[in-house]
Amino acid sequence: MHGTAITETAPIGNVVDYLFEHSAAPGHAAQPALLLDDPAGGIVTYGELHARTCRVGHYLKSLGIRPDDRVMFSLVDGPDFEALFLGGMKIGAVPIPINTWLKPRDYLYYVNDSGCRAVVIDHSLVPVFEEIKDGFTACEHIVVAGRPVAGYPFLDEAIAGLPDMLESFPQQPTDTAFWLYSSGSTGDPKGVVHTHEHIYWSTELFGIG
């Protein structure tokens, strides 16, 4: 039995607006979005995640990040990961999440191959990036998350006080939303392009269903 191909165009613009359309609405904003796995515990609500996403978007714009610019991040699970991913897409940039357990040469490859203009890293990765940052060809900004590190902008401090509302950059369903790098099993890893409608259909057909 053959499945029926989906040919309908996703009825969305920027997918971040679709994702927050109901979850960040007043009646749902106080519901848990993230349950933090740390000794102190904690919950991030949908409203808090939306506000952090907007603040991160404002911060990226302040760094000069423009639509279609790539922003790479290597972060542990938590609100910073989600806020960078969604905040980047919200301003029309292209977020690229990568593993936190790579070797220095691998980080250098990903940063230069992607042509990213900024990279946000977990504080534990600063020694690795100290080794390789002089080899960056396009990356202009290294920002640290998790804990402050002397000499680097700290994400929590950088976004503090920024507005918690931000208009989304207009997008079409087939516009690039983010990249994921392939495993590189048959050669160097390649940045695989995912569109806004990829997230929409995954949500509608898998996440909701």
Side-chain angles (χ1 to χ4, degrees), residues 15 24-25 39 71 80 93 96 130 141 155 159 161 186 196 201:
V15 75
V71 178
D80 287 336
I96 309 172
E130 284 284 342
H141 307 281
L155 186 63
I159 68 173
T186 58
H196 286 257
W201 287 121

Side-chain angles (χ1 to χ4, degrees), residues 17 20 22-23 43 48 55 63 67 70 73 85 109 111 116 121 141 146 163 169 180 197 199 202:
D17 292 336
F20 280 119
H22 300 295
S23 60
I43 294 173
E48 290 168 340
R55 289 194 290 268
L63 295 180
R70 271 79 66 201
F73 58 96
F85 189 72
Y109 169 78
V111 169
C116 67
I121 59 173
H141 307 281
F169 183 79
L180 284 180
E197 68 177 355
I199 301 175
S202 294

Side-chain angles (χ1 to χ4, degrees), residues 113-136:
D113 182 75
S114 68
C116 67
R117 294 190 57 214
V119 60
V120 184
I121 59 173
D122 185 76
H123 64 94
S124 63
L125 294 176
V126 168
V128 175
F129 276 73
E130 284 284 342
E131 290 184 35
I132 63 175
K133 64 182 182 179
D134 289 343
F136 291 172

Side-chain angles (χ1 to χ4, degrees), residues 154-187:
F154 178 45
L155 186 63
D156 277 357
E157 294 176 351
I159 68 173
L162 293 179
D164 58 8
M165 294 296 292
L166 174 63
E167 184 176 355
S168 297
F169 183 79
Q171 297 281 37
Q172 296 297 317
T174 55
D175 285 339
T176 299
F178 66 100
W179 290 8
L180 284 180
Y181 268 85
S182 65
S183 63
S185 57
T186 58

Side-chain angles (χ1 to χ4, degrees), residues 7-63:
T7 58
E8 179 184 355
T9 300
I12 57 167
N14 191 309
V15 75
V16 178
D17 292 336
Y18 157 77
L19 293 174
F20 280 119
E21 179 182 4
H22 300 295
S23 60
H28 196 80
Q31 297 298 313
L34 302 173
L35 304 178
L36 304 183
D37 184 18
D38 61 48
I43 294 173
V44 178
T45 67
Y46 282 102
E48 290 168 340
L49 180 58
H50 178 259
R52 192 171 186 84
T53 293
C54 292
R55 289 194 290 268
V56 166
H58 280 291
Y59 177 56
L60 293 176
K61 292 178 72 172
S62 77
L63 295 180

